[in-house]
């Protein structure tokens, strides 16, 4: 059973919320970041880029302390306000042909430890430790872990009923994304939601594996240092955003490789022929349409690669993933890329226009070959997580990508 709790959020004053909420700072170009910091004093980016106030770049523990200072200033200036009641926060995102509606809530470290909150990616211990130290210093979660759950009629009924009321926030950002947020604090509704989630067997992390792992590590540190630990302290939970499986959007990551590992084009195609039935599609833009089917762009031409299933052996859920198949049949044995995370010879791209970008990069000589895959499904993610396995890096690009600073969970 999943433990999902309401909390007293720190959130922007109503008249300032469109200016406060920001995308992840990694999504901004250097010029964009400079423009926001220069002309928007309310942006959450001022908190996570605290050195801007002093025209100085800071990092490590010094930055962590300054982040906390900027956060305090936002509270002191009433840019951020604290809710008086424990609440769930219903949040809707809508753009183009994508829409989702889910809950900001506090999820349990104990559930993470007991594998009720399930994972499908590896985490890197030094990153866990660094972010745990960051959380220990700044004392808040501002970026939720994105999780998904099996569609549930009771939960969806409560959500749909709330969506018929006027939201607390309703605004559109400059990237043409519409945002709505409702505060759900009535005791009866809160209890109904908590009870409904206890009937779910699992929650699945979609995005935020390092954030959840770091929150777990922080809880272990705080428990060890607190002789009066009860299990009810705020550090025993972390902020998450939960949406039903049907509302998550998963995109593929394409792969581009800088060289053919010393092989000629003909030698490379002959090596591929051992695992795939190859068809030359010429210069027509070509994308795969089903699992175990790949598109390749090489030397000005597209190829379809159909996996020879009598040659490749399926042994578990991981072996059935197209990203794993490509690694086991091509990237590793033929192109000698063993470290998918750190090898400089491989790069990744996502998005509906990425196959065009991939073609351009190969045509310009920046890469020798590109591979396009179909998106991994939620069922495949669940199968990997349920089996305790992990996917290759850059297997999924998942939406929604959430704003920072809309709700904050104090630790």
């Amino acid at each position: 059973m999943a433990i999902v709790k309401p909390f007293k959020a720190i959130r922007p004053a109503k008249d300032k919320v469109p200016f406060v909420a920001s995308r992840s700072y990694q999504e901004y170009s250097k010029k964009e970041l400079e423009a926001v910091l220069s002309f928007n004093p309310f942006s959450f980016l001022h908190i996570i880029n605290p050195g801007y106030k002093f025209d100085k770049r800071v990092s490590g523990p010094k930055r962590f302390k300054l982040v906390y200072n900027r956060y305090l200033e936002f509270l002191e200036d009433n840019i951020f306000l604290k809710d008086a009641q424990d609440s769930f926060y219903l949040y809707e995102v809508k753009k183009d042909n994508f829409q989702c509606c889910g809950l900001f809530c506090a999820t349990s470290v104990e559930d993470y430890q007991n594998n009720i909150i399930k994972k499908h990616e590896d985490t890197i211990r030094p990153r866990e430790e660094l972010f745990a130290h960051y959380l220990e210093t700044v004392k808040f979660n501002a970026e939720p872990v994105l999780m998904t759950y099996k569609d549930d009629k009771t939960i969806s009924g409560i959500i749909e009923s709330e969506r018929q009321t006027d939201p607390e926030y309703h605004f559109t950002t400059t990237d043409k994304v519409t945002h709505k947020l409702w505060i759900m604090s009535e005791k009866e509704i809160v209890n109904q939601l908590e009870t409904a989630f206890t009937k779910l067997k699992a929650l699945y992390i979609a995005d935020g594996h390092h954030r959840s792992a770091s929150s777990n590590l922080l809880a272990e540190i705080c428990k060890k240092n607190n002789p009066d630990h009860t299990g009810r302290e705020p550090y025993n939970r972390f902020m998450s955003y939960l949406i039903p499986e049907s509302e998550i959007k998963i995109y593929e990551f394409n792969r581009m490789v800088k060289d053919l590992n010393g092989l000629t084009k003909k030698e490379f195609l002959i090596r591929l022929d051992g695992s795939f039935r190859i068809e030359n599609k010429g210069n027509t833009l070509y994308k795969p349409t089903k699992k175990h089917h790949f598109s390749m762009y090489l030397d000005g031409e597209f190829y379809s690669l159909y996996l020879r299933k009598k040659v490749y052996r399926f042994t578990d859920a991981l072996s059935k993933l197209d990203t794993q198949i490509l690694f086991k049949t091509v990237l590793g044995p033929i192109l000698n890329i063993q470290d998918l995370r750190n090898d400089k010879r491989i790069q990744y791209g996502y998005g509906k226009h990425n196959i065009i970008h991939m073609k351009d990069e190969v045509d310009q000589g920046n890469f020798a070959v590109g591979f396009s895959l179909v998106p991994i499904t939620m069922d495949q993610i669940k199968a990997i997580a349920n089996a305790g396995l992990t996917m290759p890096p850059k297997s999924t690009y998942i939406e929604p990508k959430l704003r920072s600073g809309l709700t904050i969970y104090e630790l």
Side-chain angles (χ1 to χ4, degrees):
M1 62 186 236
I3 300 170
V4 171
K5 295 290 184 182
F7 66 101
K8 297 180 180 70
I10 308 293
R11 56 187 180 83
K14 194 171 183 178
D15 63 328
K16 297 181 179 65
V17 62
F19 310 107
V20 173
S22 72
R23 308 194 309 272
S24 170
Y25 78 95
Q26 296 170 330
E27 294 184 24
Y28 292 85
S29 69
K30 188 176 180 180
K31 286 185 177 180
E32 283 181 303
L33 186 60
E34 181 68 27
V36 174
L37 293 173
S38 296
F39 298 108
N40 181 3
F42 303 117
S43 174
F44 187 77
L45 292 172
H46 281 283
I47 293 178
I48 54 178
N49 293 270
Y52 181 81
K53 181 176 181 178
F54 306 104
D55 194 25
K56 181 176 175 60
R57 185 180 180 88
V58 290
S59 60
K62 284 185 178 180
R63 174 178 170 268
F64 301 167
K65 179 59 178 172
L66 287 177
V67 166
Y68 181 61
N69 292 346
R70 295 292 84 72
Y71 172 64
L72 292 180
E73 289 172 4
F74 269 51
L75 286 169
E76 292 160 0
D77 294 340
N78 293 320
I79 299 170
F80 280 147
L81 305 173
K82 184 170 184 175
D83 283 335
Q85 291 180 282
D86 284 328
S87 305
F88 288 112
Y89 300 87
L90 182 63
Y91 174 53
E92 178 186 286
V93 183
K94 187 175 183 180
K95 68 169 186 176
D96 299 330
N97 60 347
F98 173 75
Q99 179 176 330
C100 72
C101 190
L103 292 171
F104 287 118
C105 60
T107 46
S108 168
V109 166
E110 185 178 357
D111 279 357
Y112 182 86
Q113 295 167 348
N114 293 334
N115 202 35
I116 293 171
I117 293 175
K118 293 182 179 289
K119 307 163 280 292
H120 67 263
E121 289 183 7
D122 276 328
T123 53
I124 302 169
R125 183 68 179 189
R127 285 186 63 187
E128 291 179 32
E129 293 172 349
L130 179 67
F131 194 57
H133 181 44
Y134 170 82
L135 294 174
E136 189 175 22
T137 303
V138 304
K139 301 177 175 61
F140 64 78
N141 281 159
E143 295 186 3
V145 175
L146 175 63
M147 296 192 204
T148 187
Y149 58 89
K150 185 177 180 180
D151 285 56
D152 180 90
K153 289 184 179 179
T154 300
I155 296 171
S156 63
I158 296 170
I159 287 175
E160 284 307 310
S161 178
E162 186 67 21
R163 289 173 76 183
Q164 304 311 308
T165 65
D166 293 332
E168 175 72 7
Y169 299 153
H170 184 182
F171 62 98
T172 301
T173 43
T174 55
D175 53 357
K176 299 182 180 179
V177 179
T178 300
H179 309 262
K180 294 180 183 179
L181 184 138
W182 294 261
I183 302 171
M184 305 173 70
S185 55
E186 292 182 24
K187 194 65 178 176
E188 183 180 354
I189 294 175
V190 167
N191 289 339
Q192 287 175 356
L193 280 171
E194 286 188 61
T195 300
F197 275 102
T198 63
K199 296 177 182 179
L200 299 181
K201 294 181 180 179
L203 302 174
Y204 293 86
I205 298 174
D207 192 13
H209 284 79
H210 278 94
R211 291 194 291 278
S212 50
S214 300
S215 295
N216 177 58
L217 180 56
L218 174 69
E220 292 176 356
I221 293 169
C222 292
K223 179 180 179 180
K224 183 178 179 181
N225 295 334
N226 182 4
D228 300 318
H229 174 84
T230 65
R232 296 188 296 273
E233 296 84 358
Y235 59 72
N236 292 290
R237 301 188 181 101
F238 55 96
M239 186 170 65
S240 296
Y241 177 69
L242 309 184
I243 60 172
E245 292 174 10
S246 61
E247 295 188 19
I248 203 162
K249 179 67 175 177
I250 306 173
Y251 297 91
E252 75 280 7
F253 267 104
N254 295 339
R255 277 91 167 105
M256 297 180 292
V257 182
K258 289 186 177 294
D259 59 70
L260 299 182
N261 192 32
L263 299 172
T264 65
K265 175 183 174 180
K266 287 185 178 180
E267 290 170 338
F268 179 58
L269 290 171
I270 288 171
R271 292 286 301 274
L272 286 178
D273 192 67
S275 298
F276 300 93
R277 191 176 85 243
I278 305 171
E279 294 181 11
N280 188 321
K281 298 293 184 178
N283 58 11
T284 303
L285 205 64
Y286 183 75
K287 291 188 69 173
T289 57
K290 56 186 178 182
K291 289 191 300 183
H292 316 329
H293 171 206
F294 305 84
S295 169
M296 180 178 72
Y297 187 66
L298 172 69
D299 193 27
E301 295 178 308
F302 282 94
Y303 296 81
S304 68
L305 307 180
Y306 291 90
L307 182 68
R308 296 187 189 278
K309 296 179 182 178
K310 290 186 178 181
V311 175
Y312 183 88
R313 186 182 173 201
F314 296 126
T315 57
D316 55 20
L318 178 61
S319 69
K320 296 176 184 178
L321 283 185
D322 285 347
T323 51
Q324 181 73 356
I325 291 170
L326 192 66
F327 173 61
K328 287 295 185 180
T329 58
V330 182
L331 300 180
I334 300 177
L335 297 178
N336 194 31
I337 294 175
Q338 307 303 330
D339 186 346
L340 293 172
R341 195 181 301 276
N342 299 307
D343 196 312
K344 303 295 185 184
R345 295 169 55 226
I346 187 169
Q347 287 190 20
Y348 305 90
Y350 64 88
K352 62 182 180 181
H353 300 303
N354 186 254
I355 193 168
I356 298 174
H357 172 70
M358 181 181 79
K359 177 182 182 300
D360 289 343
E361 287 289 298
V362 173
D363 286 343
Q364 292 168 20
N366 298 323
F367 295 88
V369 63
F371 300 93
S372 179
L373 297 73
V374 298
I376 286 170
T377 66
M378 192 62 221
D379 284 342
Q380 288 178 299
I381 290 176
K382 289 170 63 178
I384 292 289
N386 290 338
L389 301 169
T390 56
M391 294 183 180
K394 303 295 185 183
S395 287
T396 58
Y397 181 86
I398 292 177
E399 285 192 333
K401 294 297 180 188
L402 299 169
R403 290 300 200 273
S404 297
L406 267 178
T407 60
I408 291 174
Y409 176 75
E410 285 198 320
L411 298 166

